[in-house]
Amino acid sequence: MAALSGLAALRAGRRLWKLPARPSAGLPGCWLRRGYIVGRAESPPTFGLLFDIDGVLVRGHRVIPAALEAFGKLVNSQGQLRVPVVFVTNAGNILQHSKAQELSDLLGYKVDPDQVILSHSPMKLFSQYHNKRMLVSGQGPLVENARALGFQNVVTTDELRTAFPELDMVDLERRPKTTQRPRNDFSAIEGVLLLGEPVRWETNLQLIMDVLLSNGNPGTGLVTAPYPHLPVLASNMDLLWMAEAKMPSDNPVSDVYGANLFNQHLQMAKRGEEERGTGGQQKRQPSTIQSCVSILVCTGIHSSQDPGSEGAQLPFHGHRDFSFSLELLEASHIVHDVNEAVQLVFRQEGWA
């Protein structure tokens, strides 16, 4: 799952917000609804906000001033949100609660871990792989992240390299000086889990290829390349990141494309529900999310002055199951920064 655009607004039917509400402790005249506060003088919002992080709220380790202005509008005087907010990011080399704490420190209000969606968070749904022996690649707290997602039997590339040192031949300094006896007590690997970019690309790529070509038994020789090969679960295919660098690249394929693709999915699901209703079939529970509106901000890697910003010359880094569509690169709105984006959403929703 790619992180959505600079900011995306999810518009919902009022059914989404008709959940049991209770007065919030210590805040007379306010009602607490699923992590945000609604004052009695305000109507409950029928929309929520998805924020990308890098280039929208922060640049590297520095918070963007417009983000502080935006959250000044999103939180009340007690520092609690007035509308539902979720943070989405292509990052995956950090634990969910650590990212929440990092955002809390930067933005000045408490962000709950449940409000943070990392690039690999959707893998919690891949339960059919959770009990398989998976080779995990990336950096940061790999094993902790994998287990938090539900994967209980993981092998790191370092563990695999230690078991089969003759496979890691790219780094001349780490080549074994003596011949190693082949291992026959290493359990077969049943899949590959990519939780982000590794530090040593050459080692990780070599070992992953060895696992795939050997059908999970890297200590054996290759007779024929297995097809289909072992499953590879890749959480993030976006290789462009700006941080504090001065070389922006135009990359709407990851963020804007993801937001618009989600909106396309919502519209297809809505049409399907309508067709089922008119066809006399039993009507399913309709989705409470009606649309996803993409808003592109110009404080990240995108610049309205970028050559080829219309996307015609951009390589497509999306999943091979997603056919490329040029129209999905076009954001619904382009604004200068995230504060302007929040003001735009408030105006369009009639919510001051």
Side-chain angles (χ1 to χ4, degrees):
M1 168 187 170
L4 301 186
S5 61
L7 182 147
L10 294 180
R11 185 171 290 109
R14 292 189 180 274
R15 293 182 64 262
L16 179 61
W17 312 113
K18 286 185 179 178
L19 296 173
R22 67 182 188 275
S24 59
L27 296 176
C30 294
W31 292 81
L32 179 62
R33 292 170 179 259
R34 295 179 67 84
Y36 66 98
I37 293 290
V38 178
R40 287 193 183 278
E42 298 174 334
S43 59
T46 58
F47 64 96
L49 302 174
L50 301 177
F51 287 96
D52 192 6
I53 297 175
D54 298 306
V56 177
L57 304 179
V58 300
R59 285 285 299 274
H61 299 289
R62 295 180 292 109
V63 66
I64 295 174
L68 298 179
E69 297 179 47
F71 275 84
K73 299 175 175 63
L74 290 170
V75 299
N76 61 18
S77 58
Q78 287 78 30
Q80 293 172 304
L81 287 169
R82 301 163 60 208
V83 300
V85 166
V86 172
F87 302 91
V88 290
T89 176
N90 282 337
N93 59 351
I94 189 172
L95 294 171
Q96 191 176 23
H97 68 82
S98 299
K99 193 67 176 179
Q101 184 59 54
E102 179 183 295
L103 289 170
S104 299
D105 295 338
L106 289 169
L107 298 175
Y109 94 97
K110 181 171 175 51
V111 176
D112 292 327
D114 287 345
Q115 290 178 270
V116 177
I117 299 178
L118 302 171
S119 63
H120 48 62
S121 296
M123 290 186 180
K124 292 179 181 178
L125 303 176
F126 289 33
S127 56
Q128 67 270 36
Y129 299 105
H130 287 172
N131 291 326
K132 294 186 180 296
R133 185 168 166 84
M134 305 290 288
L135 174 67
V136 59
S137 174
Q139 59 180 293
L142 279 177
V143 175
E144 294 91 334
N145 265 326
R147 288 178 177 165
L149 294 170
F151 298 92
Q152 300 302 316
N153 190 2
V154 296
V155 178
T156 66
T157 51
D158 282 338
E159 291 172 332
L160 183 62
R161 181 181 65 85
T162 300
F164 301 98
E166 70 279 2
L167 298 181
D168 185 21
M169 288 291 181
V170 178
D171 189 336
L172 299 180
E173 295 295 326
R174 298 203 304 184
R175 282 189 179 181
K177 302 300 187 292
T178 59
T179 302
Q180 304 291 316
R181 296 184 60 183
R183 291 280 298 269
N184 56 11
D185 61 342
F186 195 85
S187 300
I189 293 173
E190 300 173 281
V192 179
L193 185 61
L194 306 181
L195 297 186
E197 67 278 2
V199 175
R200 286 179 169 267
W201 283 91
E202 70 284 350
T203 293
N204 283 261
L205 289 173
Q206 180 64 65
L207 295 181
I208 289 171
M209 289 299 298
D210 287 328
V211 165
L212 295 178
L213 289 173
S214 65
N215 206 30
N217 296 282
T220 64
L222 173 66
V223 179
T224 58
Y227 186 83
H229 59 64
L230 296 176
V232 178
L233 309 184
S235 65
N236 178 16
M237 294 172 285
D238 181 15
L239 299 179
L240 297 180
W241 183 44
M242 189 174 182
E244 288 140 334
K246 303 299 182 183
M247 295 182 64
S249 304
D250 184 45
N251 188 30
V253 177
S254 170
D255 300 340
V256 171
Y257 202 93
N260 291 337
L261 189 65
F262 181 41
N263 183 62
Q264 185 181 77
H265 169 77
L266 291 171
Q267 304 316 307
M268 291 174 61
K270 187 189 302 182
R271 287 194 295 269
E273 290 168 359
E274 292 172 353
E275 291 172 0
R276 285 191 295 272
T278 57
Q281 300 178 8
Q282 184 176 2
K283 193 173 182 179
R284 297 181 183 178
Q285 183 77 3
S287 171
T288 53
I289 306 298
Q290 299 299 312
S291 62
C292 179
V293 181
S294 57
I295 305 176
L296 179 61
V297 301
C298 297
T299 52
I301 64 175
H302 171 79
S303 169
S304 59
Q305 305 302 317
D306 285 344
S309 60
E310 72 282 355
Q313 305 301 319
L314 292 174
F316 180 58
H317 296 290
H319 195 278
R320 62 187 179 188
D321 290 343
F322 298 150
S323 59
F324 179 70
S325 175
L326 192 61
E327 65 181 14
L328 294 182
L329 290 176
E330 298 179 6
S332 303
H333 305 276
I334 300 179
V335 297
H336 178 65
D337 56 38
V338 69
N339 183 45
E340 187 179 332
V342 169
Q343 292 177 345
L344 171 66
V345 173
F346 279 12
R347 286 197 304 271
Q348 296 221 338
E349 294 293 335
W351 206 82

